[in-house]
Each structure stands twice: as C-alpha cells, then as structure tokens.
C-alpha cells in the first residue's frame, strides 16, 4: 500500500514533462473513465507512440485515442472495484517502456450502515465492541470505522482509539462508569460517502462476560456405569463481590458431533451426569454466565466453552455371567500374576507419575492385547496409587507403601510394596518389587 501511494506521488512531483488528468479520481463501481496523458514538447515524441498500462498490464490499443500530437487518451468502461485499497495504477509510457506519468484510480462504493453491533466487558472497567460492515461488506477503497460512545443523559461524545484487535472491533480499556447507561454506535466513511449504525444503549453491568471456567475435571462415580462427575473452577473475575455465576454444561459421545446441553447447572461448580452409556468415552465442556447482583436485572453474556475434557464410563463386567465362582486361592494367584504384569509395565510407561488412575490400567490392557513394548524408564522415590475397579478379578482397593532401602540377600535395594484388598475375602495381598 505504502509503495503504491509513494509511486503515485513521485510521478506527480518529479515528472513535469507529462501529466495524466484527472489525477487520482474516486469513482463508483461500474463507472467509465476517460483519462488524458499530456506530454511536453521537450520530449520530442508524439502522442501516437505512447501506450497505457493499468496495474502493470498493457491496455488494448483500441482503447487509446490520439487527441493531438501531445495528447493521448484512454477510455475504460464498467470499472471493477480497485484491486488494492491504495488505488489502481494507471500509467502512461513512451514506446521504450519509460514511465511518463501516472494516476491512482480509486474505484469502490460508499460504506453501508454498520450492523450487528455488540459489546461486552471483562471486568466492568473496560468495553470491547464488534460490528459487521453491512450486507455488501467490501467497499474496495479505504473506509474508516469509528466506534463512538457517550453517557446517555450527559457527558461528551468520545471516540474509541484501540483498533489493534480483530477487524471491525475496538477496545475501550478504562474510564467507564457503572450504574449509568451508555449510548454506543459506529460511524463509517470513505471518499464516496458515510453511514452510521443504530445506537445501542447498554449498562456495563449488563454486558459482563468472563473467560471459560478453568480446571474442568471429569471422573467416574464409583461403580456407577451410567454416571460421570464434572467439577470446574470459577473465573477470577467472578470473585468480585458484584457478581455470582450460573453455568451450562454440554457433553457428547466420542463418535458424535451432537452435543447435549444441561441448562440448569445453577451456580454450583460441580455436576453429575446421569443416564450415560456404559463403557463409553464422553467429551465435556462448561461455560459461565455472570449475573449482576446490583443495578442490573439482566443476565450477563455467556463465555466461550471450555476446552473439551474426556472421560469414560465403566464397562459392564460380564466375565462371570453364567459361570461358577472360582476359589479364593485361585483369585489370589490370578490377581497376583496380573498385577505383577501391570506394575512391571507401569514402570516403563509412567515416568514421573505421582497419581495413577484407571486410565493407566486401561492403557496397559491395550498394550497387553497388542503386545506393544517401549523402553522408557521410570524412577521415583515415592509412588502413590489409588485405583478402583483395577481388574475384573473382584478388587476393591489398591494402594502402596513407600519405596525405601531394604536388605535383600545382604544387598541394599529399593523395595516397592503394593497391597490389594480382595472383595470377598477382605484380605490384603502384598506384592514386592
């Protein structure tokens, strides 16, 4: 853009041997233009030897006309919008290609009335607004948009100054009043005309929004195969005494893009999802709406949805349906063997892990089925393990004791001791590694 404007100015300032008229015209889309290049006799050339280009492309000879030995004209019909907002370059050349004169053509349309003006505040002290430029949108020439605001009943009209964000947005960072309505509107203007949006009236307290709720956690609810527990943190902005919050939750199964929304989550920071499918992965999101306590009867603006958090419901255990129960000693033997396999795998796959959940056990089951191996190493002085439903082998809890040095065959070694409580026998099985 800057190079184009500089090009047009240089042609005017430094080349007094030729000139194009009209100079830098502003035209509506669909207009026609006849431009004339007048050359000085000092050049010792005739107008018949000249040719024209538009944005570097040579124009057809049948668009030229020799008006006199020193004047050549070109006529352009049904002009399209300028390819660049800084203007299209119409240039007159001598036969050897040398540039003699130029003019910048601004072809576009006047701005339409800006629409869809919406505003929001993050902390009751600032204001951000966004709008659309109208149904046609593109004007093809430089168009200036100014967001204006003022207190409704008194006060001086002010212009928003920070347009560094997204296109058609502006940010007012400070010096805003609460409990008092503002009038806000947008004015658009260019060389072909101007337009203004409708005026909206708002109170800062009515348009408060926040970031999405942080720390969304989704977990299983014990043995319940049709439920998941959802917890989340509250936005720091909601700690302001002026506001409380209400929340919405939405969730979907992994293989679907269809969300189910829970509208009545209220102002709590936890919720239990029920009626889910067993053995299914669900994606969960949460959003927040601050509610003004003082001076506002309207709800705030919903935040964006949080990032998706995934969890799976427990699967239905059908391993013992239609079969005889095995003896406790057989349970212990099978369990001891399976747990040794699992913890051996865990050492290779959970570097630096301090909290191990059913997800890690599920990963091991997949690894066991596909016979995949890795060579990652784990080294940790203390490990804590809290798992539920670790196996289909009737387990209630699994825990650990500290790793510590111990004498084994007169050698000092680190021992990791696990205990498992059997559901029926209520006895602990200790495993040493």
């Amino acid at each position: 853009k800057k190079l184009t404007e500089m090009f047009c100015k240089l042609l005017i300032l430094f080349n007094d041997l030729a000139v194009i008229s009209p100079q830098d015209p502003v035209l509506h889309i669909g207009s026609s233009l006849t431009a004339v290049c007048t050359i000085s006799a000092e050049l010792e050339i005739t107008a018949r030897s000249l040719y024209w280009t538009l944005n570097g492309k040579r124009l057809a000879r049948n668009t030229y006309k020799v008006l006199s030995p020193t004047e050549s004209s070109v006529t352009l019909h049904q002009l399209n919008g300028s390819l660049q907002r800084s203007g299209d370059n119409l240039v007159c050349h001598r036969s050897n290609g040398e540039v003699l004169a130029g003019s910048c053509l601004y072809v576009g349309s006047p701005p339409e009335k800006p629409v869809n003006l919406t505003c929001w505040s993050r902390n009751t002290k600032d204001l951000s607004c966004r709008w659309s430029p109208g149904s046609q949108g593109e004007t093809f020439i430089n168009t200036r948009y100014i967001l204006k605001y003022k207190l409704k009943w008194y006060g001086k009209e002010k212009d928003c100054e920070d347009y560094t964000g997204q296109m058609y947005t502006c940010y007012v960072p400070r010096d805003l009043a609460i409990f008092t309505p503002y009038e806000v509107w947008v004015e658009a203007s260019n060389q072909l005309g101007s337009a203004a949006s409708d005026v909206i009236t708002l109170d800062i307290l009515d348009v408060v929004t926040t970031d999405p709720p942080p720390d969304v956690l989704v977990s299983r609810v014990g043995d319940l195969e049709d439920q998941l527990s959802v917890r989340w943190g509250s936005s720091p902005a909601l700690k302001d005494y002026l506001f409380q919050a209400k929340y919405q939750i939405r969730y979907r199964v992994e293989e679907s893009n269809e969300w189910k929304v829970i509208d009545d989550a209220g102002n709590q920071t936890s919720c239990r999802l029920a009626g889910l499918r067993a053995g299914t992965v669900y994606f969960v999101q949460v959003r927040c709406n601050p509610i003004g306590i003082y001076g506002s009867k309207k709800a705030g603006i919903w935040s964006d949805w949080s990032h998706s958090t995934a969890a799976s419901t427990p699967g239905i255990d059908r391993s013992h349906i239609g079969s005889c129960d095995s003896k406790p000693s057989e349970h212990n033997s099978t369990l001891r063997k399976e747990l040794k396999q699992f913890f051996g795998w865990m050492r290779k796959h959970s570097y630096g892990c301090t909290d191990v959940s059913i997800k890690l056990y599920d990963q091991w089951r997949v690894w066991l089925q596909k016979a995949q191996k890795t060579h990652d190493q784990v080294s940790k002085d203390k490990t804590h393990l809290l798992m539920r439903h670790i196996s289909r082998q009737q387990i209630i809890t699994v825990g650990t004791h500290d790793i510590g040095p111990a004498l084994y065959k007169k050698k000092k070694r680190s021992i990791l001791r696990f205990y498992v409580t059997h559901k029926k026998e209520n006895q602990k099985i200790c495993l040493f590694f």
Side-chain angles (χ1 to χ4, degrees), residues 244-248 263 265-268 287-291 299 302:
Q244 58 183 358
K246 63 179 180 179
Y247 298 93
Q248 276 187 348
D263 287 315
N267 61 359
Q268 303 299 315
R287 67 176 180 174
C288 172
N289 188 331
I291 304 170
W302 286 106

Side-chain angles (χ1 to χ4, degrees), residues 393-428:
Q393 304 296 328
Q394 304 294 317
I395 302 304
I396 289 181
T397 60
V398 176
T400 68
H401 289 286
D402 293 344
I403 296 175
L407 290 176
Y408 179 71
K409 293 184 179 180
K410 298 182 179 181
K411 293 182 179 180
K412 198 171 185 180
R413 294 185 177 181
S414 292
I415 301 297
L416 175 62
R417 181 173 62 178
F418 289 86
Y419 66 84
V420 178
T421 305
H422 191 275
K423 195 177 260 188
K424 288 190 176 180
E425 301 300 322
N426 195 28
Q427 65 183 59
K428 289 185 179 179

Side-chain angles (χ1 to χ4, degrees), residues 253-267:
V253 295
E254 183 178 22
E255 62 271 14
S256 172
N257 291 323
E258 222 173 286
W259 294 92
K260 183 174 181 180
V261 178
I262 298 177
D263 287 315
D264 56 351
N267 61 359

Side-chain angles (χ1 to χ4, degrees), residues 253-429:
V253 295
E254 183 178 22
E255 62 271 14
S256 172
N257 291 323
E258 222 173 286
W259 294 92
K260 183 174 181 180
V261 178
I262 298 177
D263 287 315
D264 56 351
N267 61 359
Q268 303 299 315
T269 56
S270 65
C271 180
R272 184 174 293 188
L273 306 180
L276 307 179
R277 293 186 343 218
T280 304
V281 176
Y282 284 86
F283 289 94
V284 181
Q285 294 179 327
V286 185
R287 67 176 180 174
C288 172
N289 188 331
I291 304 170
I293 298 177
Y294 302 111
S296 174
K297 297 181 180 180
K298 299 180 181 178
I301 298 175
W302 286 106
S303 72
D304 294 331
W305 290 101
S306 65
H307 294 299
S308 292
T309 303
S312 62
T313 51
I316 299 175
D317 186 359
R318 302 183 182 275
S319 60
H320 298 288
I321 295 178
S323 63
C324 297
D325 192 14
S326 56
K327 297 178 181 179
S329 60
E330 294 175 356
H331 275 304
N332 293 353
S333 177
T334 302
L335 174 61
R336 186 184 295 270
K337 179 180 179 181
E338 185 171 289
L339 285 174
K340 281 189 175 182
Q341 288 178 327
F342 168 57
F343 291 128
W345 177 88
M346 184 183 72
R347 286 182 172 183
K348 295 182 179 181
H349 291 74
S350 59
Y351 178 79
C353 189
T354 57
D355 291 310
V356 182
S357 69
I358 189 65
K359 291 182 180 179
L360 187 59
Y361 179 76
D362 291 340
Q363 293 176 20
W364 170 72
R365 299 286 294 186
V366 173
W367 169 84
L368 193 62
Q369 292 171 6
K370 295 183 178 180
Q372 296 176 341
K373 296 182 179 180
T374 66
H375 299 284
D376 297 334
Q377 302 243 346
V378 59
S379 175
K380 189 72 176 175
D381 288 339
K382 284 183 179 265
T383 302
H384 174 73
L385 174 64
L386 179 58
M387 300 175 58
R388 294 171 184 256
H389 326 296
I390 185 172
S391 161
R392 296 180 179 180
Q393 304 296 328
Q394 304 294 317
I395 302 304
I396 289 181
T397 60
V398 176
T400 68
H401 289 286
D402 293 344
I403 296 175
L407 290 176
Y408 179 71
K409 293 184 179 180
K410 298 182 179 181
K411 293 182 179 180
K412 198 171 185 180
R413 294 185 177 181
S414 292
I415 301 297
L416 175 62
R417 181 173 62 178
F418 289 86
Y419 66 84
V420 178
T421 305
H422 191 275
K423 195 177 260 188
K424 288 190 176 180
E425 301 300 322
N426 195 28
Q427 65 183 59
K428 289 185 179 179
I429 304 169

Side-chain angles (χ1 to χ4, degrees), residues 166-190:
Q166 298 179 353
M167 186 176 291
Y168 308 125
T169 62
C170 195
Y171 176 63
V172 182
R174 64 183 73 84
D175 300 329
L176 292 169
I178 58 176
F179 311 117
T180 304
Y182 278 91
E183 292 182 339
V184 184
W185 69 98
V186 177
E187 293 182 358
S189 61
N190 62 24

Side-chain angles (χ1 to χ4, degrees), residues 26-243:
V26 181
L27 306 164
H28 287 268
I29 293 175
S31 299
S32 296
L33 169 70
T34 297
V36 177
C37 179
T38 304
I39 58 176
S40 171
E42 296 179 22
L43 292 174
E44 298 180 350
I45 58 175
T46 64
R48 191 174 298 276
S49 65
L50 306 181
Y51 71 90
W52 294 81
T53 62
L54 182 62
N55 293 328
K57 185 177 179 180
R58 193 162 181 162
L59 296 173
R61 178 66 65 174
N62 60 11
T63 61
Y64 307 170
K65 187 175 181 181
V66 177
L67 303 180
S68 72
T70 58
E71 291 181 318
S72 172
S73 70
V74 65
T75 300
L76 306 174
H77 298 288
Q78 293 295 314
L79 289 168
N80 295 320
S82 295
L83 298 179
Q84 45 202 8
R85 292 181 180 273
S86 55
D88 293 334
N89 299 322
L90 181 65
V91 180
C92 173
H93 302 260
R94 66 191 308 169
S95 59
N96 63 1
E98 180 185 342
V99 173
L100 295 174
S103 178
C104 291
L105 309 185
Y106 299 94
V107 185
S109 57
E112 293 186 338
K113 170 184 173 181
V115 295
N116 302 326
L117 174 59
T118 56
C119 300
W120 63 94
S121 175
R122 289 283 181 182
N123 55 17
T124 73
K125 299 176 180 65
D126 67 353
L127 188 68
S128 297
C129 294
R130 177 176 55 234
W131 62 90
S132 300
S135 58
Q136 180 180 339
E138 181 61 73
T139 61
F140 298 98
I141 57 176
N142 284 328
T143 300
R144 186 183 184 194
Y145 293 89
I146 301 177
L147 179 76
K148 294 180 174 288
Y149 62 99
K150 65 179 290 292
L151 292 170
K152 183 175 182 179
W153 294 300
Y154 57 90
K156 184 179 178 182
E157 178 183 303
K158 297 182 179 180
D159 292 350
C160 178
E161 297 179 354
D162 186 351
Y163 297 88
T164 56
Q166 298 179 353
M167 186 176 291
Y168 308 125
T169 62
C170 195
Y171 176 63
V172 182
R174 64 183 73 84
D175 300 329
L176 292 169
I178 58 176
F179 311 117
T180 304
Y182 278 91
E183 292 182 339
V184 184
W185 69 98
V186 177
E187 293 182 358
S189 61
N190 62 24
Q191 293 166 292
L192 294 174
S194 61
S197 71
D198 291 334
V199 177
I200 63 171
T201 302
L202 57 87
D203 189 306
I204 300 299
L205 293 178
D206 294 338
V207 294
V208 174
T209 188
T210 69
D211 293 325
D215 306 323
V216 178
L217 176 66
V218 185
S219 57
R220 295 180 176 184
V221 184
D223 291 337
L224 298 177
E225 297 154 349
D226 66 337
Q227 296 188 23
L228 288 173
S229 173
V230 186
R231 296 181 180 276
W232 59 90
S234 59
S235 170
L238 295 175
K239 295 179 181 179
D240 193 306
Y241 72 95
L242 289 175
F243 295 96

